[in-house]
Amino acid sequence: MHGLFERLIDAREQDLDGEAPADMPALLRYAEGSSAALTWLALESLDGETGRRPAAVEAGRRLGAAWALTGLLRAVPYHASRRQLHLPADLLSRHGVRSEDVLELRRPAGLPAVVREVAVEAASQLRAAREVAKGLPRQLLPALLPGTLAGLYLKRLERAGFDPYAAAVQDAPPGRIWRLTLSNLLGRF
């Protein structure tokens, strides 16, 4: 468990340098070090056997990555206002988006394409988490419930044309507590 706290600290140290990840694998490493480590800690607190359950470890890794990517996409305006950028540099370049334009809150035309690619990866991670979690003990479900919200936020982002500045993306969706409750009752995320 001590190693998970170190991973969290190491990942959060990257926040201090303010540099965008070079590519999607770098962004996923950050997501795993930050959010997946928290998910693993939550799983471990619910069941001390998590480390011996490969499916739980993998579900936590995938769910943590999906949740982190989703949160980073929703936080693009906030991070940009703080002169931070968590979008992969190679995607920005491929879609003709200059980092400085995002940091200056200019909303460049290629930004939705970048956000879409990261959202597709987040959705893929979420699907994989749901698949690998089948058959896990129900007592682990509370640690995986952020997947319910990740799915909801990703759908809202898609409906908004992958514009992270859209009000529908920034506003908290009504009924999210009820969705979590229903997911918990149904035993899914």
Side-chain angles (χ1 to χ4, degrees), residues 73-78 153 156-157 163-173:
L73 292 176
R74 292 185 67 229
V76 165
Y78 173 78
Y153 290 135
R156 290 171 70 104
L157 188 59
D163 176 6
Y165 291 88
V169 173
Q170 294 303 312
D171 295 340

Side-chain angles (χ1 to χ4, degrees), residues 106-118:
R106 291 192 186 115
R107 297 170 80 166
L111 183 60
V114 173
V115 169
R116 181 186 181 284
E117 286 198 42
V118 177

Side-chain angles (χ1 to χ4, degrees), residues 50-62:
T50 295
R52 293 186 210 114
R53 297 181 199 269
V57 172
E58 183 66 7
R61 182 177 78 79
R62 298 292 191 136

